Every structure is written in structure tokens, then in C-alpha cells.
Amino acid sequence: MTRRDRALMQLAQAETRAENPEVREHIRAAREAIRAVAPTGLQECPACGRVGVPEQIAVHDCDG
Ligand SMILES: [Zn+2]
């Protein structure tokens, strides 16, 4: 996993835990900015926001 992938995953976790809508919006914008610079090939679960390789997302324990 690259540092960029790690950053995206950390941001995804932060977004799911942030309770302030403005904070969530900033996190979401940061993730989009990172992704725009360099696509990762990672997939995001639409239900819980978890980010990982497609094989992981397909089998993850979803809490969304
Ligand atoms: Zn999920």
C-alpha cells in the first residue's frame, strides 16, 4: 500500500467518524483532491465509506 492509499484510508475513516457536517465536507474535499492528483485504483464502499483494493471491499465486514 502506498502512502497515498494510506492517506485516503485515514481520511475515509475520519469522514465516517466526523460529526460536524462542515468537517466532513473538508475531509471529503481533501479526498477528492488527492484522488484527482493520482487515481489509486482503490474502491470505496458506498455504504460505509471504507476504502481498499476491490478484493478487500468485496469481502469486508460492512457496518454501513
Ligand atoms: Zn461497507
Side-chain angles (χ1 to χ4, degrees):
M1 176 175 289
T2 67
R3 289 178 184 175
R4 186 188 61 234
D5 294 339
R6 213 182 296 273
L8 284 170
M9 290 184 73
Q10 293 295 333
L11 285 168
Q13 291 295 314
E15 189 177 359
T16 58
R17 293 189 172 117
E19 292 177 6
N20 186 320
E22 288 185 20
V23 174
R24 293 177 67 106
E25 179 59 27
H26 283 299
I27 295 169
R28 193 189 60 74
R31 292 170 64 196
E32 287 192 359
I34 293 173
R35 265 186 278 200
V37 168
T40 63
L42 291 181
Q43 219 173 51
E44 177 182 344
C45 175
C48 70
R50 180 159 173 167
V51 176
V53 297
E55 291 79 7
Q56 282 179 329
I57 294 303
V59 299
H60 77 285
D61 189 14
C62 190
D63 59 347

